[in-house]
Amino acid sequence: MKYNNPVIKGFYPDPSACKVEDTYYLVCSSFQYFPGVPIFESKDLINWTQIGHCLTRKNQIQLDTVDSSGGVFAPTLRYNNGRFYMTTTNDTLRQNFYVWTDNIYGEWSDPINVDQGGIDPDLYFEDGKTYFMSNGTDDYGVNGIVQCEIEIETGQKLSPSRSIWQGSGGRYLESPHLYKINGQYYLLAAEGGTEYGHMVTYARGNSPTGPFKAYPHNPVLTNRNLGGYELQGVGHGDLVQDHEGEWWLLHLGFRQTGQYLTYHHLGREVFLTPITFGEDGWFTAGHEGTTLISFETDRIADTVIQQEKRVFTFENTDWNLDWCYLRHPVTENYRLEADKIKLKGTAVTLDIPATPTFIGIRQKDFNAIISCEVSLTNGEAGITLYMDENHHYDLALRKHPEGYEIIERLNIGDIKSIEKTKNIGQCNHASLVVKSSPTHYHFYIQVDGTEILFGAAQTKYLSSEIAGGFTGVLIGLYATGEDQDYNAIFTNFSCLYS
Ligand code: 6LW
C-alpha cells in the first residue's frame, strides 16, 4: 500500500512510541500548553487516534511561569511489567521526571523526579534494572548522552551519571533511546538541531552501558540535503517493531510552505519511515536515508486505508482531547457545551506569556476554512491564529464606547497593529471567517450570507523561522474583558481542510 507523511499532522513534535500487544501508543511534547503530553493509539502505524494526555493535573506539571516553548519538552513512552511510563523534562524548571499508569486510558501518577540534568530523558528496562538516559553533562563534566541507573519506584539514582556516547559530531546531540535488538544494544539519537540540519544517528554495543560504536554511515536519516523538497527537519525519533517483526521509525519533521519557501508554521509533525536491518546488524532508514512524502510498502496490508478527518466542529471534537489551553486555565472562565462555548475574558491579553482566556485546536493543514459566530457583551472576542504572544493574527469583535466593531490585528514581533476596523453599530454579533493557504491567511466577515474580504497576512510571519521556538500555529478562540460575567459566546465553529 501507499501511505502519506505526516501520519499525525499539526504541532505534535518529538514523538515517542511503544507497542503493547496489538496496539501502538505514541506521545508528543506540549511545551506551554495544557493538558500536557498528548497520547495517541494506532493498530496499523498510519491511523492514529488521540486517547488522552499524560499530564492532566496541576500538581503534575508547573506551567504558570513557563515562557512560550518552555515547559514540557520531548517525552519518552515505555511499557514494563504491565505499567506505562512517560518521562519528560519541564525545561523551565530544568527538571527531569516521570509519571506512570497501569491504565493508559486513565489518570497518570504524580511526578517522580530524577536528579540527572539535560533534556529528552529515556528509560530502558532490563532484568529488574532501569537505565535513565538524557543529553547533557555527566557527573565527571563530560558531555554526551548521559546515563545512570535508577530505582524505578523512587527515581533515586543508583549509579553516577556517566556520558556513554558523544554522537557523530553534529551539534545538539539529544533525543537518546536505548533498545536491545537481536542481542545488541542500539543507542539512537538526534543531532544537528531541530531545524533544517536535523538528523537521526545511532551507535551500538554489547552492553546497555556501552561502549557504543557509531554506525559508520551516520546520519542514518536526514532530509538536510534535499533542497527544494517539501519535507524538512526530519530527526528526533523512536523505533518500533510491528506485528510482523519489521522495524519503523516514528520521528518528527516539518512541511515547509512551498518548494523553495523555507518557512514552516504548522509546527513539527509525526512521520513514519521504514527501517531495514542488514545482515551486519546495522540498519538503514527510508529512501536512501531520507523521508518521503509518501512510501509504497508491502509491510502494511492493502486493506489498510489511511483515514483523514477533514472537518472539525464543536460537535465532532472533544474538549478534553482536541482542545488545549495556554498554561493552567482558570477553568471557571470556560463553559464548554456540546454546540457552543461561553468565555469570560479577563484583562490578560494574548500579547503576554500568561494565561489569557483562550482555547485552541492545532492547525493541521495548510488549506483550511475556519469559521465561527461570536456574540459579545463587552471587551473583545474572536479567532486568533496563535504561534506565541509576539506572533499571532486576530480577527475579532470588539466593544467601543458607542457600539461594536470588527478588528483585524496583526502581531508580528515588535509590530503590533490593528490593520482594519469596521464599525457595526449596535450589532453585537459577527460571523468570522479565515481562509488559509500555504502562504496566506485571508480574513473575511460574513454579512447576510455574503463574505466580505477584510484583510490578509502572510503565514511566514507566524513561522518557526520568524517566531523561533518549538511550537506550531493553533486556531484559538479567545476573549478579553473586565466584566465579572461571561462576555463572549462562540457557536458554529468549523475548521474545514481541503
Ligand atoms: C527537544 C529536542 C528537540 O527536546 O527539540 O527536535 C526539543 N528535538 O530533542 C524541543 O522539542
Side-chain angles (χ1 to χ4, degrees), residues 13-14 29 31 73-74 119-120 174-175 194 198 236 252 268 470:
D14 305 321
S29 43
F31 303 96
F73 269 38
I119 57 167
D120 301 353
E174 54 200 12
S175 169
T194 189
H198 212 26
H236 193 127
L252 63 66
R268 296 168 298 159
F470 298 127

Side-chain angles (χ1 to χ4, degrees), residues 87-143:
T87 181
T88 184
T89 313
N90 184 338
D91 191 60
T92 305
L93 302 180
R94 301 251 150 215
Q95 181 64 60
N96 284 318
F97 66 94
Y98 56 91
V99 290
W100 57 265
T101 186
D102 294 336
N103 171 14
I104 198 157
Y105 304 99
E107 288 280 305
W108 291 65
S109 73
D110 287 347
I112 299 169
N113 289 339
V114 179
D115 187 20
Q116 177 170 295
I119 57 167
D120 301 353
D122 180 48
L123 288 169
Y124 174 70
F125 299 92
E126 185 174 298
D127 294 340
K129 292 186 172 188
T130 309
Y131 299 91
F132 184 88
M133 274 70 53
S134 58
N135 82 348
T137 308
D138 73 7
D139 289 349
Y140 310 98
V142 183
N143 291 328

